[in-house]
Amino acid sequence: MKDKKVREELIIDAFAMLFLLAGELYFFRNIIGTGQLISDGSDGRLTMLIAEHWYNVFKGKASIMDMGMFYPAKNTLAYSDMLLGFGLIHSVLRVVGLDIFRAYKYTIMLVHLTGTVSSYYLLHRKLNLCAGWSVFGTVMFSFSSTYAVHIYHTQLVSLSLIPLAAVFVISFYNNLKNRKKRNVYAFLFIITAEIILYTAWYIFFFTVFFVLGVIITGIILNVVNDCGLWDKTKDFFKTVKYDFVIYVAALIIIALPFLIMEMSIIKMSSGREYSEVCYYLPEMIDVINVSSKNWLMGGLLTKMKLDARGFSFENAAGFSPVLLATFIGFYIFVKKDRKNSWIKTIWITVVLGIFLTVRLSKDGLSLWWFIYKFFPGGSSIRAGVRYLLYLCLPMAA
């Protein structure tokens, strides 16, 4: 009986994977088998050259810090995202014979595919959703219109590594009593987190920002409702003991080269004016602005002439009406799950994140000013609208 149930589960997972693979092929339908790059403009070409730089480094033909395209300038790697994670995959594809263009294009597609598969696994196996809802949540994340707009900045595809990191965190928590397994998952999470850091600063920043939001919201809810969070926290630290210190030390030590190389550049880029940041902050209407090219809402958005406002094209990267309706409707109507402290915490954190990101008036009034002014590294984030892309994942989950 047990074997039969396992077979049924495997068959369901196989059909789910085939459906999601078809989604990948459709999502990249204009790229696969063509000479076109993902983002054929300046950003796509720059990130491709940075990935190629790592290939030359691994071959011993280039210094890590000095990218040949900026010769004779020195220490130029830190002038942009380092893209180490992409560089590793890109280099493997270059070794097996792909040219620079195809290697980078398929690197982005492989990272995106990793996010799709790990998102389904996270929802189905770790959060115990049925296969249908797991596929739905994965589609809402990996194939969202928000993702389609932001993929122009290929470094942001490192967002697809977040579901994998979440799998490692939950597996760590599920194996707290087994020190050997616990340490394996802790190590895997640390490596994944550091790869994200060394690949795309925005995604790492948004991850830290979101996690802190979850922690603060959770503490407040615990004080109000007494969800037992304090007791759970004490039990956690009692179990992991000194290992937690080792985890934190490992994270810091591995991140030190990044901090040394990047902090001076981040500080330099922090000199931008808030008016420049405002250009990339969405208005409230942009939360549903999925661009005039969207099949479902494109005609209505075209009539609203939102493109005439003079803001960045990235502001047309709102949430799909299906995702928004599900996200709001779920919390309103599914009362038994609304009492779950974790669901409530993440739901509130997402809503607050949306209100933090949007501009409240045309002259730039926004709560994001506090992030720009006071949050460490916040003034280096020029395009706050990209936080909406990040929020697609917790919304879908």
Short mmCIF file of all heavy atoms in Angstrom, two decimals, residues 23 26-27 29-30 143-145 148-149 288-302 320-322:
data_model
loop_
_atom_site.label_atom_id
_atom_site.label_comp_id
_atom_site.label_asym_id
_atom_site.label_seq_id
_atom_site.Cartn_x
_atom_site.Cartn_y
_atom_site.Cartn_z
N GLY A 23 6.30 25.22 -19.14
CA GLY A 23 6.24 26.64 -18.78
C GLY A 23 7.57 27.34 -19.01
O GLY A 23 7.61 28.48 -19.49
N TYR A 26 8.01 27.92 -22.70
CA TYR A 26 7.17 29.01 -23.17
C TYR A 26 7.67 30.36 -22.67
O TYR A 26 7.67 31.34 -23.41
CB TYR A 26 5.72 28.80 -22.72
CG TYR A 26 4.77 29.82 -23.31
CD1 TYR A 26 4.36 29.72 -24.62
CD2 TYR A 26 4.34 30.91 -22.55
CE1 TYR A 26 3.52 30.67 -25.19
CE2 TYR A 26 3.50 31.86 -23.10
CZ TYR A 26 3.09 31.74 -24.41
OH TYR A 26 2.28 32.68 -24.97
N PHE A 27 8.12 30.40 -21.42
CA PHE A 27 8.62 31.65 -20.83
C PHE A 27 9.81 32.19 -21.63
O PHE A 27 9.95 33.40 -21.82
CB PHE A 27 9.01 31.40 -19.37
CG PHE A 27 9.28 32.65 -18.58
CD1 PHE A 27 8.25 33.52 -18.24
CD2 PHE A 27 10.56 32.96 -18.15
CE1 PHE A 27 8.49 34.66 -17.49
CE2 PHE A 27 10.82 34.09 -17.40
CZ PHE A 27 9.78 34.95 -17.07
N ARG A 29 10.43 31.40 -24.86
CA ARG A 29 10.13 31.03 -26.24
C ARG A 29 10.81 31.93 -27.26
O ARG A 29 11.13 31.49 -28.38
CB ARG A 29 8.62 31.04 -26.47
CG ARG A 29 7.97 32.42 -26.33
CD ARG A 29 6.45 32.31 -26.27
NE ARG A 29 5.81 33.62 -26.14
CZ ARG A 29 5.71 34.29 -24.98
NH1 ARG A 29 6.24 33.78 -23.88
NH2 ARG A 29 5.10 35.46 -24.94
N ASN A 30 11.04 33.20 -26.90
CA ASN A 30 11.67 34.13 -27.85
C ASN A 30 13.19 34.07 -27.81
O ASN A 30 13.86 34.78 -28.56
CB ASN A 30 11.22 35.56 -27.56
CG ASN A 30 9.73 35.75 -27.73
OD1 ASN A 30 9.15 35.17 -28.64
ND2 ASN A 30 9.11 36.53 -26.87
N PHE A 143 6.91 32.43 -13.42
CA PHE A 143 6.44 32.88 -14.73
C PHE A 143 5.59 34.15 -14.63
O PHE A 143 4.77 34.43 -15.51
CB PHE A 143 5.66 31.76 -15.42
CG PHE A 143 6.39 30.45 -15.46
CD1 PHE A 143 5.76 29.27 -15.13
CD2 PHE A 143 7.73 30.41 -15.80
CE1 PHE A 143 6.45 28.05 -15.17
CE2 PHE A 143 8.42 29.21 -15.84
CZ PHE A 143 7.78 28.03 -15.52
N SER A 144 5.76 34.89 -13.57
CA SER A 144 4.96 36.10 -13.36
C SER A 144 5.35 37.19 -14.36
O SER A 144 6.47 37.23 -14.87
CB SER A 144 5.17 36.63 -11.94
OG SER A 144 6.50 37.07 -11.75
N SER A 145 4.41 38.08 -14.63
CA SER A 145 4.71 39.22 -15.51
C SER A 145 5.77 40.11 -14.86
O SER A 145 6.58 40.73 -15.55
CB SER A 145 3.43 40.02 -15.77
OG SER A 145 2.86 40.47 -14.56
N ALA A 148 8.98 38.66 -15.79
CA ALA A 148 9.23 38.85 -17.22
C ALA A 148 9.78 40.24 -17.51
O ALA A 148 10.63 40.41 -18.39
CB ALA A 148 7.94 38.61 -18.01
N VAL A 149 9.30 41.25 -16.78
CA VAL A 149 9.79 42.62 -16.98
C VAL A 149 11.20 42.78 -16.40
O VAL A 149 12.10 43.32 -17.05
CB VAL A 149 8.83 43.64 -16.33
CG1 VAL A 149 9.46 45.04 -16.34
CG2 VAL A 149 7.50 43.66 -17.07
N ILE A 288 -0.72 47.07 -9.80
CA ILE A 288 -1.43 46.23 -10.76
C ILE A 288 -1.04 46.56 -12.20
O ILE A 288 -1.68 46.09 -13.14
CB ILE A 288 -2.97 46.36 -10.60
CG1 ILE A 288 -3.41 47.82 -10.82
CG2 ILE A 288 -3.42 45.85 -9.24
CD1 ILE A 288 -4.93 47.96 -10.95
N ASN A 289 0.00 47.35 -12.37
CA ASN A 289 0.45 47.75 -13.70
C ASN A 289 1.36 46.66 -14.27
O ASN A 289 2.56 46.64 -14.03
CB ASN A 289 1.19 49.09 -13.63
CG ASN A 289 1.67 49.56 -14.99
OD1 ASN A 289 1.32 49.00 -16.02
ND2 ASN A 289 2.50 50.61 -14.99
N VAL A 290 0.77 45.77 -15.03
CA VAL A 290 1.53 44.64 -15.60
C VAL A 290 1.99 44.93 -17.03
O VAL A 290 2.32 44.02 -17.77
CB VAL A 290 0.69 43.34 -15.56
CG1 VAL A 290 0.57 42.83 -14.14
CG2 VAL A 290 -0.69 43.57 -16.15
N SER A 291 1.99 46.19 -17.40
CA SER A 291 2.46 46.72 -18.68
C SER A 291 1.38 46.62 -19.76
O SER A 291 0.49 45.76 -19.71
CB SER A 291 3.75 46.04 -19.17
OG SER A 291 3.47 44.88 -19.92
N SER A 292 1.51 47.51 -20.73
CA SER A 292 0.51 47.58 -21.81
C SER A 292 0.58 46.36 -22.73
O SER A 292 -0.32 46.14 -23.55
CB SER A 292 0.75 48.86 -22.63
OG SER A 292 2.07 48.89 -23.14
N LYS A 293 1.63 45.54 -22.59
CA LYS A 293 1.77 44.35 -23.44
C LYS A 293 1.08 43.13 -22.84
O LYS A 293 1.04 42.07 -23.47
CB LYS A 293 3.26 44.04 -23.65
CG LYS A 293 4.00 45.13 -24.42
CD LYS A 293 5.47 44.76 -24.59
CE LYS A 293 6.22 45.86 -25.34
NZ LYS A 293 7.66 45.52 -25.51
N ASN A 294 0.56 43.25 -21.63
CA ASN A 294 -0.08 42.12 -20.97
C ASN A 294 -1.36 41.73 -21.69
O ASN A 294 -2.17 42.58 -22.07
CB ASN A 294 -0.38 42.48 -19.51
CG ASN A 294 -0.94 41.33 -18.72
OD1 ASN A 294 -2.15 41.15 -18.65
ND2 ASN A 294 -0.06 40.54 -18.13
N TRP A 295 -1.56 40.42 -21.89
CA TRP A 295 -2.72 39.94 -22.65
C TRP A 295 -4.03 40.29 -21.96
O TRP A 295 -4.99 40.68 -22.60
CB TRP A 295 -2.64 38.42 -22.81
CG TRP A 295 -1.56 37.98 -23.74
CD1 TRP A 295 -0.80 38.77 -24.54
CD2 TRP A 295 -1.12 36.64 -23.96
NE1 TRP A 295 0.11 38.02 -25.25
CE2 TRP A 295 -0.07 36.70 -24.92
CE3 TRP A 295 -1.49 35.40 -23.46
CZ2 TRP A 295 0.59 35.57 -25.37
CZ3 TRP A 295 -0.83 34.27 -23.92
CH2 TRP A 295 0.20 34.35 -24.86
N LEU A 296 -4.07 40.15 -20.64
CA LEU A 296 -5.32 40.32 -19.92
C LEU A 296 -5.67 41.79 -19.69
O LEU A 296 -6.81 42.20 -19.89
CB LEU A 296 -5.24 39.59 -18.57
CG LEU A 296 -6.49 39.62 -17.69
CD1 LEU A 296 -7.66 38.93 -18.40
CD2 LEU A 296 -6.22 38.95 -16.34
N MET A 297 -4.70 42.59 -19.29
CA MET A 297 -4.98 43.97 -18.87
C MET A 297 -4.33 45.02 -19.75
O MET A 297 -4.45 46.22 -19.48
CB MET A 297 -4.51 44.15 -17.41
CG MET A 297 -5.27 43.30 -16.42
SD MET A 297 -4.74 43.63 -14.71
CE MET A 297 -5.21 45.36 -14.53
N GLY A 298 -3.62 44.59 -20.79
CA GLY A 298 -2.87 45.53 -21.62
C GLY A 298 -3.72 46.63 -22.22
O GLY A 298 -3.34 47.81 -22.23
N GLY A 299 -4.92 46.28 -22.72
CA GLY A 299 -5.79 47.27 -23.34
C GLY A 299 -6.22 48.34 -22.37
O GLY A 299 -6.17 49.54 -22.69
N LEU A 300 -6.62 47.94 -21.16
CA LEU A 300 -7.04 48.90 -20.13
C LEU A 300 -5.88 49.79 -19.72
O LEU A 300 -6.05 51.02 -19.59
CB LEU A 300 -7.57 48.14 -18.92
CG LEU A 300 -7.94 48.99 -17.69
CD1 LEU A 300 -9.05 49.96 -18.03
CD2 LEU A 300 -8.34 48.10 -16.52
N LEU A 301 -4.70 49.21 -19.51
CA LEU A 301 -3.54 49.99 -19.08
C LEU A 301 -3.09 50.97 -20.16
O LEU A 301 -2.61 52.06 -19.85
CB LEU A 301 -2.40 49.05 -18.68
CG LEU A 301 -2.67 48.18 -17.44
CD1 LEU A 301 -1.59 47.12 -17.28
CD2 LEU A 301 -2.74 49.06 -16.19
N THR A 302 -3.26 50.58 -21.42
CA THR A 302 -2.91 51.49 -22.52
C THR A 302 -3.80 52.72 -22.49
O THR A 302 -3.33 53.86 -22.68
CB THR A 302 -3.05 50.77 -23.88
OG1 THR A 302 -2.16 49.66 -23.92
CG2 THR A 302 -2.72 51.72 -25.03
N SER A 320 0.29 40.25 -11.06
CA SER A 320 -0.83 39.81 -11.88
C SER A 320 -2.11 39.85 -11.03
O SER A 320 -2.07 39.62 -9.82
CB SER A 320 -0.60 38.40 -12.40
OG SER A 320 -0.83 37.44 -11.37
N PRO A 321 -3.25 40.14 -11.66
CA PRO A 321 -4.51 40.17 -10.91
C PRO A 321 -4.83 38.82 -10.28
O PRO A 321 -5.46 38.75 -9.22
CB PRO A 321 -5.56 40.56 -11.97
CG PRO A 321 -4.91 40.32 -13.29
CD PRO A 321 -3.44 40.50 -13.08
N VAL A 322 -4.40 37.72 -10.91
CA VAL A 322 -4.64 36.38 -10.36
C VAL A 322 -3.88 36.21 -9.04
O VAL A 322 -4.42 35.73 -8.04
CB VAL A 322 -4.23 35.29 -11.36
CG1 VAL A 322 -4.42 33.90 -10.74
CG2 VAL A 322 -5.03 35.41 -12.64
#
